[in-house]
């Protein structure tokens, strides 16, 4: 049995009932076999065993009082996975689906994603099974203050810098930052995704979506293609989806479909992003409201957004949303490229099907790294006590995403996996972290 197989077998045994974590670890470790075999020091130093075990997992209860006066209790988590190349960095997810397996998978992926940015940030993830949807501002504040009252002990500008994620937007970050400041007396860049009035960065909201398109555009250009005139499907309708659609349209693409958890819209004339922004960012309503703006569009609650013929597919909603059958349909309908705006939105068999059929595939740890890259740029601005213009941040973001593509392309070619950017991203992200761990000794 190979070293990689032994580590995976042991990992699954030690971490039962954690399918998302098993899936992420298997996908990464199996692709690392060539580089691990070529560098015996990694096995000697137990790099894979150490890399798949978080530095620490913090779990705690979060009690708060709802508007009816009833005491509610949620679970809170922070998983600090690896800080070999910098302070822990990763989002706080507030969603009923949050559990240990999902956060471990996200934290593990974050290690490689953060490494790929070229910036000095380690990997972490956290959150709670609290659902901010349908809650009043006072209830959200009560939860966030209670959550931070425990979390503050484990974070800091040079220790661990959490960020927003699903369910954690500007409102939630503001309440958490206020409580951290109140408890510690410190005004520091301990969170990213902050409001512009108190240390936030311009272009942060747009960063993940824009970054996805910057990397995709570079990948397409390297294969004699571009976005101009292409039909694009974008799943989701949050920040990532909206701003990926916006930048794709700026590059000449026509986004014809988007969705939320209730259903999906199809607009042959091209999705009206101003309407989507109003519905989702201002009114916070369901995407079905889109028909009030564009009556000729279609709204569906059955079938799949991936059934719509397209040239480029951008899954930007949640993990494992695009399965093997969806992949076969996309290929049959002429899709030439797929870019993951969400974390692990494509099932392993679907990703394999794309590669087998020569569909360009940009994995999430590379393609959606723009968000954390801009978060790290926010950290830099906070440390410098400066605020950069939108154009400056956007230019730095674009440069980072172009370099990520070049690095994953070079890594895939070097190890004989030309155009397999899953392997390329895993190897490129792993090398920097592993070499740092070797240099630090057994810690």
């Amino acid at each position: 049995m190979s070293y990689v197989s032994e580590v995976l077998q042991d990992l699954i045994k030690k971490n039962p009932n954690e399918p998302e974590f098993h899936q992420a670890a298997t996908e990464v470790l199996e692709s690392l076999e060539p580089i691990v075999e070529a560098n015996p020091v990694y096995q000697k130093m137990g790099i894979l065993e150490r890399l798949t075990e978080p530095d620490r997992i913090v779990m705690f209860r979060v009690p708060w009082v709802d508007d009816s006066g009833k005491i509610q209790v949620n679970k809170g988590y922070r998983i600090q996975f690896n800080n070999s190349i910098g302070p822990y960095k990763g989002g706080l997810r507030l969603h009923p689906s949050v559990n240990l397996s999902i956060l471990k998978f996200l934290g593990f992926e974050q290690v490689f994603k953060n490494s790929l940015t070229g910036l000095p940030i380690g990997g972490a993830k956290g959150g709670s099974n609290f659902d901010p949807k349908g809650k009043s501002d006072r209830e959200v504040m009560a939860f966030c203050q209670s959550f931070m009252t425990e979390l503050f002990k484990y974070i800091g500008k040079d220790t661990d810098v959490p960020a927003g994620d699903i369910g954690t937007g500007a409102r939630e970050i503001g309440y958490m930052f206020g409580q951290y400041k109140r408890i510690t007396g410190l005004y520091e860049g301990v969170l990213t995704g902050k409001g512009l009035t108190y240390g936030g960065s311009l272009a942060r909201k747009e960063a993940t979506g824009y970054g996805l398109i910057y990397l995709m555009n570079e990948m397409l250009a390297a294969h004699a293609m571009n976005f101009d005139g292409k039909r694009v499907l974008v799943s989701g309708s949050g920040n990532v989806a909206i701003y990926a659609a916006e930048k794709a349209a700026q590059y000449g693409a026509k986004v014809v479909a988007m969705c939320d958890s209730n259903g999906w819209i199809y607009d042959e004339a091209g999705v009206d992003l101003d309407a989507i922004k109003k519905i989702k960012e201002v009114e916070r309503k369901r995407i079905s409201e889109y028909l009030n703006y564009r009556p000729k569009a279609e709204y569906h609650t059955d079938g799949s957004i991936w059934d719509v013929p397209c040239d480029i597919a951008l899954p930007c909603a949640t993990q494992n949303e695009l399965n093997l059958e969806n992949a076969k349909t996309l290929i049959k309908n002429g899709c030439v490229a797929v870019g993951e705006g969400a974390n692990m939105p494509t099932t392993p068999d679907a990703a394999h099907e794309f590669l087998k059929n020569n569909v360009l595939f940009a994995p999430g740890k590379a393609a959606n790294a723009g968000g954390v890259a801009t978060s790290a740029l926010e950290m830099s601005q906070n440390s410098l006590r400066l605020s950069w213009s939108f154009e400056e941040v956007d230019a730095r973001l674009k440069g980072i995403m172009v370099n990520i593509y070049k690095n994953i392309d070079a890594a895939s070619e070097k190890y004989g996996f030309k155009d397999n950017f899953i392997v390329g991203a895993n190897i490129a992200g792993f090398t920097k972290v592993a070499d740092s761990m070797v240099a630090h000794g057994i810690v």
Side-chain angles (χ1 to χ4, degrees), residues 62-67 70 72 74 130 135-149 175-176 179:
V62 187
W64 57 281
V65 181
D66 67 20
D67 285 345
K70 184 178 178 182
Q72 303 287 345
N74 288 99
F130 172 80
K135 304 291 193 302
S136 70
D137 287 348
R138 194 211 64 79
E139 288 177 319
V140 172
M141 182 175 69
F143 167 82
C144 289
Q145 289 178 340
S146 181
F147 183 78
M148 184 54 74
T149 298
Y175 292 147
M176 290 182 193
Q179 185 71 351

Side-chain angles (χ1 to χ4, degrees), residues 287-438:
I287 204 166
S288 56
E289 298 288 323
Y290 183 78
L291 269 62
N292 294 331
Y293 296 85
R294 299 286 280 267
K296 291 184 178 179
E298 300 174 18
Y299 175 69
H300 300 269
T301 55
D302 56 356
S304 168
I305 190 174
W306 309 120
D307 294 337
V308 178
C310 72
D311 301 300
I312 297 171
L314 303 175
C316 297
T318 190
Q319 65 262 18
N320 293 327
E321 60 171 295
L322 198 166
N323 60 33
L324 179 59
E325 289 308 309
N326 301 145
K328 289 179 177 178
T329 300
L330 285 167
I331 292 164
K332 176 182 160 188
N333 287 336
C335 181
V336 297
V338 177
E340 294 190 317
N343 292 306
M344 205 168 73
T346 311
T347 61
D349 52 359
H352 178 72
E353 189 73 11
F354 287 132
L355 294 177
K356 188 172 77 174
N357 287 275
N358 298 315
V359 174
L360 296 175
F361 184 82
K365 65 173 61 68
N368 68 37
V372 74
T374 305
S375 285
L377 296 178
E378 181 177 329
M379 290 168 64
S380 298
Q381 292 171 78
N382 292 164
S383 295
L384 293 166
R385 298 293 194 268
L386 292 176
S387 181
W388 297 330
S389 69
F390 184 100
E391 290 74 20
E392 187 170 2
V393 176
D394 191 38
R396 290 173 185 265
L397 167 65
K398 186 174 183 179
I400 289 168
M401 299 311 295
V402 168
N403 282 333
I404 289 176
Y405 173 74
K406 289 179 179 176
N407 290 337
I408 67 175
D409 181 45
S412 68
E413 187 165 10
K414 179 179 178 180
Y415 288 92
F417 294 92
K418 179 65 177 169
D419 286 346
N420 185 332
F421 301 122
I422 299 174
V423 173
N426 289 339
I427 290 176
F430 168 79
T431 305
K432 182 178 177 182
V433 176
D435 290 348
S436 296
M437 292 174 72
V438 169

Side-chain angles (χ1 to χ4, degrees), residues 14 43 93 100 151 166 171 183 241 246 265 284 298:
K14 285 182 179 177
Q43 181 171 358
R93 178 170 293 193
L100 202 55
L151 183 66
I166 294 173
R171 175 182 60 171
I183 293 170
E246 181 173 273
I265 57 165
R284 296 190 179 187
E298 300 174 18

Side-chain angles (χ1 to χ4, degrees), residues 86-104:
Y88 301 107
K89 186 88 191 78
L92 296 170
R93 178 170 293 193
L94 301 182
H95 193 272
S97 67
V98 163
N99 59 38
L100 202 55
S101 176
I102 287 175
L103 292 182
K104 284 172 76 173

Side-chain angles (χ1 to χ4, degrees), residues 27-307:
E27 183 262 304
V28 171
L29 263 59
E30 286 182 347
S31 68
L32 293 177
E33 201 139 17
I35 192 170
V36 171
E37 289 181 358
N39 295 272
V41 67
Y42 294 151
Q43 181 171 358
K44 180 182 176 183
M45 297 292 286
I47 295 298
L48 297 187
E49 293 94 331
R50 291 159 59 195
L51 193 58
T52 52
E53 191 67 45
D55 289 348
R56 66 191 56 80
I57 297 175
V58 182
M59 299 174 61
F60 50 94
R61 72 171 180 265
V62 187
W64 57 281
V65 181
D66 67 20
D67 285 345
S68 68
K70 184 178 178 182
I71 295 172
Q72 303 287 345
V73 179
N74 288 99
K75 286 187 175 184
Y77 305 86
R78 188 62 177 172
I79 300 178
Q80 296 173 332
F81 227 103
N82 189 289
N83 68 348
S84 295
I85 61 174
Y88 301 107
K89 186 88 191 78
L92 296 170
R93 178 170 293 193
L94 301 182
H95 193 272
S97 67
V98 163
N99 59 38
L100 202 55
S101 176
I102 287 175
L103 292 182
K104 284 172 76 173
F105 124 63
L106 291 168
F108 182 67
E109 289 277 298
Q110 199 78 45
V111 174
F112 304 98
K113 182 190 299 186
N114 293 1
S115 173
L116 285 170
T117 68
L119 301 169
I121 42 176
K125 207 73 180 183
S128 172
N129 60 349
F130 172 80
D131 188 357
K133 284 183 180 177
K135 304 291 193 302
S136 70
D137 287 348
R138 194 211 64 79
E139 288 177 319
V140 172
M141 182 175 69
F143 167 82
C144 289
Q145 289 178 340
S146 181
F147 183 78
M148 184 54 74
T149 298
E150 182 64 25
L151 183 66
F152 91 95
K153 305 169 188 176
Y154 310 100
I155 63 177
K157 66 181 176 64
D158 296 315
T159 306
D160 182 353
V161 183
D165 196 86
I166 294 173
T168 308
R171 175 182 60 171
E172 290 75 17
I173 291 292
Y175 292 147
M176 290 182 193
F177 184 82
Q179 185 71 351
Y180 180 87
K181 181 165 62 78
R182 180 186 190 188
I183 293 170
T184 65
L186 298 173
Y187 203 109
E188 60 182 29
V190 70
L191 291 162
T192 56
K194 300 186 293 298
L196 294 176
T197 57
Y198 61 100
S201 174
L202 289 163
R204 177 60 190 91
K205 181 171 68 172
E206 297 86 354
T208 308
Y210 278 20
L212 168 63
I213 302 305
Y214 291 145
L215 185 139
M216 291 289 290
N217 193 57
E218 195 71 13
M219 180 176 74
L220 290 169
H223 295 82
M225 291 185 282
N226 56 48
F227 274 100
D228 193 32
K230 299 291 191 299
R231 289 169 58 89
V232 177
L233 307 181
V234 181
S235 68
S237 49
N239 276 352
V240 181
I242 288 172
Y243 292 100
E246 181 173 273
K247 183 57 68 173
Q250 289 174 12
Y251 279 1
K254 182 165 76 168
V255 177
V256 295
M258 295 182 73
C259 69
D260 63 15
S261 56
N262 284 14
W264 52 280
I265 57 165
Y266 170 67
D267 190 339
E268 179 56 36
V271 171
D272 181 345
L273 283 174
D274 288 336
I276 295 290
K277 287 181 182 180
K278 187 172 182 183
I279 293 165
K280 290 296 181 177
E281 296 182 340
V282 180
E283 299 172 349
R284 296 190 179 187
K285 292 183 177 178
R286 309 311 295 171
I287 204 166
S288 56
E289 298 288 323
Y290 183 78
L291 269 62
N292 294 331
Y293 296 85
R294 299 286 280 267
K296 291 184 178 179
E298 300 174 18
Y299 175 69
H300 300 269
T301 55
D302 56 356
S304 168
I305 190 174
W306 309 120
D307 294 337

